[in-house]
Amino acid sequence: MLKITNLKAKVNGKEILKGINLEIDKGLYFLMGPNGAGKSTLARALSGDPSLEVNGEITLDNKKISELGPEDRFKLGLFMGYQIPPEIKGVKARTLLEKALEKHGKRVDLDELAKMVGLSPGILERDVNVGFSGGERKKLELLQLLAFKPRYAILDEPDSGVDMDTLRKLGGVLNSCKDACGILVITHTGNLLKFTEPKKVFILANGRIVSEGGPELVSDIEERGYSMVIE
Amino acid sequence: MNWWDEVREKAKDWRNLPMPEPKLDLENMKIASKEDIETARKSAEEILERLGIGDEEKDMLLGRTVQENNQIVYKAMREGLEKQGVIIEEMNLAVKRFPWLKDYFFKMLPVNENALTAYHTKYWDNGVFVHVKNNVKSKSAIHAYFLLNESSFAQTPHSIIIAEENSEIHLVEGCSAPSIVENALHVGGTEIYVGKNSKVFLTKMQNWPEYVHTRPLTYARVEKGGELHLVNIVLGGGRTTVEHPRIDIVGENAKVVVREVVLSQKNAIVDLGTYIHHNAENTSSQIISKTVATDESRVITRGVIYGHKRNTKGYFSCDGMILGDKAKAETYPGLAADLSDLQLNHEASFGKVAEKEVTYLRTRGFTEEEAVEMILKGFVSPALVDVPLEFRVEVEKIIELAAKGF
């Protein structure tokens, strides 16, 4: 279980997360919320981003990870899929992945995985995210979810700005992973519901979890908007 | 008087000429103290240990007596090359062996431009002469300076490379391990003649101990259809390093590619910049400069691509990364056009290693140190494409040490 207790986070001195309590187990979870609610900050706080000022406790299968750096959280089985992953010039995507996998003691067929997420062959020979489209960046993150096989994953808006075929592939990947992995998907829309179903939906607003429920919460938000649901 | 000593005479008034910045007191800094050399030798040994370099190479790199059988191997290699049409000779002997060299000797280097050019002319000593004959193509990298033991340690070597028509040569100079020299001053000169349709690749790696001031004086001339590929890797930076090569493109369809990598350390001052003159139509040049400034070092990268003729294409990119709070880096990439019918571009970016990228890599299981190392290697890699593999590996090892806060 990934358990978050009273998690607070400041960005540039401003408090963004004001005490988050959340638990996820194996399976698929959605985290939704209006713009500026703190969703991406929560993802970064969980990943161990050192530029945030974080308080509170995070445990991963009963092991406290909140004091650990990002690399140690990753080693324990936590994966963070970025909304907009950075470009790394001069480092080929394949080189990065092979090195990371080697450190992680895993071997996978990267070309096979590229095919599964719909990345064109050859993109792995390019510098990490340099000149990639938004969709390609998201697919490379998704490829890594498959490659590293984490115990828990936070995916920050993997569905935003992608076409219908990619959305379908994303749904398929999530379905194939969710039995072995606890996945928290940060999303703005219910578009993914056509292809997969979350166990639970959390609503984050103004730095706090204000509501949680089943998949029906998503359609409720789509119909009535956040402001109504939150009240 | 021999013709090569007559050349010295032209520079006899070197003391009266202006000294470029940062100024050097040429007469009072010739010999490093025993302590300096001992300290440098110890730190070099440590580095070689960490780099995993074998004993024999180590002796060579540290300037100890070179084993006799090495000399025999090198002699055999030189004889083999000479049979193919590539002559490699010590300059002190070359001037005696080839009287025609007079027409190339100090013909590009402007003897009395300043105190340094004149000092070099007056006191030149040894160096390497490379002569590639018509239609001879030598594709594998030649460590010319290793083949000639004596010249590696001269304070004022003068080297000349002549590639005749339709020839090709790949030369490598230096090594990533610090060169231990007794002289605190190193003023070498190089003149490169790239003949019609010939290709010259020169890769230079400089790593001077921190008491050395170095002022390489480099000149090149590229004829019709010729190509010059210069790679200059400056590791550490000694105490001060100033190098402003001048390249003249004199024939149509000629091409020049310059790549510079600076990894400055300690309190080094490095000022590096190439000046390329396009004196013929339909010619192209490219300068790619990558700086990593660490410790308290200061780096200036500069240079100008001058478009004097139609259809000149020039591209100048200057990027720098600054590690820590005490290092400084500046860049002044310049373009100058005499007419409109040409295309010159430049790009420059300087900054710290991006925190975002480091964090991203850490979320993929890399430590901060490994992340910085990967980013730095990626950063310099565009400048290392033409570099022999063994050099690239050595640069990467130095980066690994730099990332460890070396």
Side-chain angles (χ1 to χ4, degrees):
Chain A
M1 183 182 286
L2 179 66
K3 189 174 173 192
I4 303 159
T5 314
N6 197 24
L7 190 75
K8 293 178 180 173
K10 282 184 186 171
V11 182
N12 300 326
K14 193 183 173 216
E15 191 167 62
I16 305 292
L17 301 181
K18 299 169 182 169
I20 303 276
N21 295 296
L22 200 110
E23 287 177 11
I24 67 167
D25 222 321
K26 302 250 178 290
L28 186 63
Y29 300 79
F30 278 9
L31 178 74
M32 301 182 75
N35 292 327
K39 301 185 297 297
S40 289
T41 304
L42 177 59
R44 285 167 61 197
L46 291 175
S47 76
D49 188 331
S51 64
L52 302 182
E53 220 181 294
V54 180
N55 276 302
E57 198 177 80
I58 308 164
T59 59
L60 196 147
D61 292 339
N62 295 320
K63 191 173 164 44
K64 192 175 164 190
I65 61 164
S66 26
E67 309 295 321
L68 301 178
E71 60 272 38
D72 293 320
R73 298 185 192 197
F74 174 80
K75 269 182 220 150
L76 289 170
L78 183 69
F79 175 78
M80 152 88 162
Y82 275 56
Q83 184 186 353
I84 305 166
E87 297 181 354
I88 302 174
K89 287 182 184 146
V91 179
K92 294 204 176 2
R94 187 185 297 278
T95 312
L96 170 66
L97 296 179
E98 279 175 353
K99 276 194 181 159
L101 285 162
E102 193 189 316
K103 268 184 85 72
H104 212 46
K106 288 205 161 83
R107 280 197 137 192
V108 296
D109 183 347
L110 289 172
D111 294 303
E112 188 58 38
L113 296 186
K115 217 181 283 170
M116 277 175 70
V117 299
L119 273 176
S120 60
I123 204 151
L124 295 175
E125 306 336 309
R126 284 165 51 185
D127 291 356
V128 177
N129 296 318
V130 177
F132 283 29
S133 70
E136 285 168 335
R137 287 186 192 218
K138 289 188 192 297
K139 286 175 188 172
L140 190 63
E141 295 294 289
L142 196 60
L143 181 152
Q144 294 177 61
L145 171 69
L146 290 168
F148 295 126
K149 297 191 180 68
R151 286 198 277 174
Y152 297 92
I154 305 128
L155 307 180
D156 194 359
E157 295 192 26
D159 57 341
S160 66
V162 302
D163 60 34
M164 201 46 89
D165 293 0
T166 306
L167 205 60
R168 184 188 307 275
K169 282 208 168 78
L170 172 61
V173 169
L174 294 176
N175 286 333
S176 74
C177 293
K178 69 182 182 186
D179 290 340
C181 178
I183 309 169
L184 184 66
V185 174
I186 296 172
T187 180
H188 265 297
T189 67
N191 292 347
L192 265 172
L193 289 178
K194 287 196 195 86
F195 309 105
T196 185
E197 196 176 84
K199 227 164 141 175
K200 210 183 233 182
V201 178
F202 301 100
I203 309 295
L204 179 72
N206 196 21
R208 288 190 179 86
I209 301 290
V210 292
S211 177
E212 55 181 84
E216 71 284 349
L217 199 50
V218 180
S219 30
D220 203 19
I221 288 163
E222 290 204 315
E223 269 169 41
R224 296 163 55 214
Y226 282 114
S227 50
M228 296 305 286
V229 175
I230 292 164
E231 276 163 23
Chain B
M1 196 185 280
N2 295 313
W3 60 264
W4 59 89
D5 287 327
E6 280 169 14
V7 172
R8 294 183 201 280
E9 281 312 293
K10 289 187 199 163
K12 62 181 187 308
D13 294 328
W14 66 270
R15 285 180 189 81
N16 302 329
L17 292 168
M19 168 65 74
E21 297 287 339
K23 286 190 167 51
L24 298 175
D25 180 2
L26 294 173
E27 275 172 296
N28 294 313
M29 56 178 305
K30 285 184 190 167
I31 308 291
S33 74
K34 276 205 171 104
E35 289 78 32
D36 278 345
I37 290 172
E38 212 31 61
T39 311
R41 199 184 294 279
K42 275 201 186 113
S43 74
E45 270 181 63
E46 274 173 42
I47 293 167
L48 293 173
E49 214 62 59
R50 275 188 264 176
L51 292 174
I53 287 175
D55 283 342
E56 262 184 45
E57 275 172 286
K58 224 187 277 180
D59 284 348
M60 173 102 188
L61 302 175
L62 292 174
R64 293 180 186 136
T65 327
V66 177
Q67 298 193 350
E68 240 171 66
N69 45 0
N70 274 354
Q71 281 307 302
I72 292 165
V73 172
Y74 294 149
K75 189 161 177 269
M77 278 175 70
R78 280 173 54 200
E79 281 169 4
L81 285 164
E82 195 152 331
K83 268 183 205 144
Q84 289 170 36
V86 179
I87 290 157
I88 295 177
E89 184 64 275
E90 286 174 28
M91 193 57 83
N92 284 351
L93 299 176
V95 288
K96 292 174 189 156
R97 210 176 137 191
F98 309 107
W100 57 265
L101 192 48
K102 193 181 170 184
D103 298 334
Y104 297 86
F105 195 74
F106 285 87
K107 289 299 177 204
M108 278 194 276
L109 192 145
V111 173
N112 286 312
E113 187 170 281
N114 58 48
L116 286 170
T117 55
Y119 176 88
H120 171 78
T121 311
K122 173 81 177 144
Y123 297 109
W124 75 269
D125 175 29
N126 229 342
V128 177
F129 172 57
V130 179
H131 179 204
V132 196
K133 295 191 172 159
N134 269 335
N135 301 317
V136 173
K137 292 188 178 168
S138 166
K139 305 247 180 193
S140 55
I142 300 170
H143 290 255
Y145 289 70
F146 277 10
L147 298 184
L148 302 166
N149 183 37
E150 290 304 312
S151 60
S152 327
F153 308 109
Q155 182 190 8
T156 47
H158 191 76
S159 297
I160 293 181
I161 299 162
I162 300 172
E164 285 187 10
E165 274 184 39
N166 199 30
S167 68
E168 182 169 341
I169 184 97
H170 296 246
L171 293 165
V172 174
E173 178 187 338
C175 168
S176 71
S179 337
I180 309 302
V181 287
E182 289 182 10
N183 304 305
L185 173 68
H186 193 270
V187 188
T190 307
E191 296 178 289
I192 307 167
Y193 295 87
V194 183
K196 274 184 195 163
N197 299 318
S198 67
K199 290 180 185 167
V200 172
F201 293 80
L202 174 61
T203 301
K204 194 161 72 160
M205 194 178 260
Q206 309 183 51
N207 192 354
W208 300 102
E210 59 205 83
Y211 56 81
V212 171
H213 298 267
T214 178
R215 300 288 182 273
L217 307 167
T218 307
Y219 300 85
R221 191 186 142 89
V222 187
E223 289 184 42
K224 191 175 174 180
E227 279 183 31
L228 174 63
H229 297 253
L230 272 187
V231 181
N232 193 3
I233 301 166
V234 177
L235 302 178
R239 181 66 194 87
T240 67
T241 297
V242 181
E243 183 170 8
H244 295 155
R246 177 184 166 125
I247 302 170
D248 281 284
I249 300 177
V250 297
E252 286 178 24
N253 301 315
K255 178 181 165 184
V256 171
V257 178
V258 177
R259 298 180 200 278
E260 300 164 349
V261 177
V262 182
L263 302 174
S264 63
Q265 295 169 325
K266 296 176 185 164
N267 61 348
I269 296 172
V270 179
D271 181 338
L272 202 62
T274 306
Y275 295 77
I276 301 175
H277 290 266
H278 287 261
N279 294 314
E281 292 184 1
N282 301 316
T283 53
S284 73
S285 68
Q286 199 186 67
I287 305 175
I288 309 275
S289 165
K290 300 279 177 184
T291 295
V292 178
T294 73
D295 302 330
E296 293 173 39
S297 61
R298 182 160 176 249
V299 183
I300 301 165
T301 51
R302 59 173 102 224
V304 180
I305 299 176
Y306 295 90
H308 303 300
K309 288 282 151 70
R310 271 183 57 242
N311 284 336
T312 294
K313 271 194 188 135
Y315 174 71
F316 198 156
S317 106
C318 252
D319 301 316
M321 285 228 190
I322 301 153
L323 298 189
D325 297 327
K326 289 180 180 160
K328 281 185 185 165
E330 301 159 56
T331 186
Y332 307 99
L335 304 172
D338 293 350
L339 63 171
S340 63
D341 194 4
L342 44 69
Q343 197 185 334
L344 303 176
N345 296 299
H346 74 82
E347 284 177 57
S349 77
F350 267 66
K352 296 191 180 303
V353 176
E355 206 55 52
K356 247 186 173 171
E357 294 173 29
V358 176
T359 302
Y360 180 74
L361 292 174
R362 288 180 71 190
T363 66
R364 284 355 180 211
F366 298 99
T367 62
E368 188 171 1
E369 200 174 287
E370 289 166 336
V372 170
E373 186 187 306
M374 195 183 286
I375 292 164
L376 290 180
K377 281 181 186 172
F379 170 72
V380 300
S381 69
L384 296 175
V385 285
D386 288 335
V387 173
L389 184 65
E390 66 263 33
F391 264 35
R392 218 176 320 160
V393 170
E394 287 177 15
V395 171
E396 292 192 343
K397 282 178 177 168
I398 295 285
I399 288 176
E400 283 163 30
L401 295 180
K404 284 191 181 88
F406 171 73

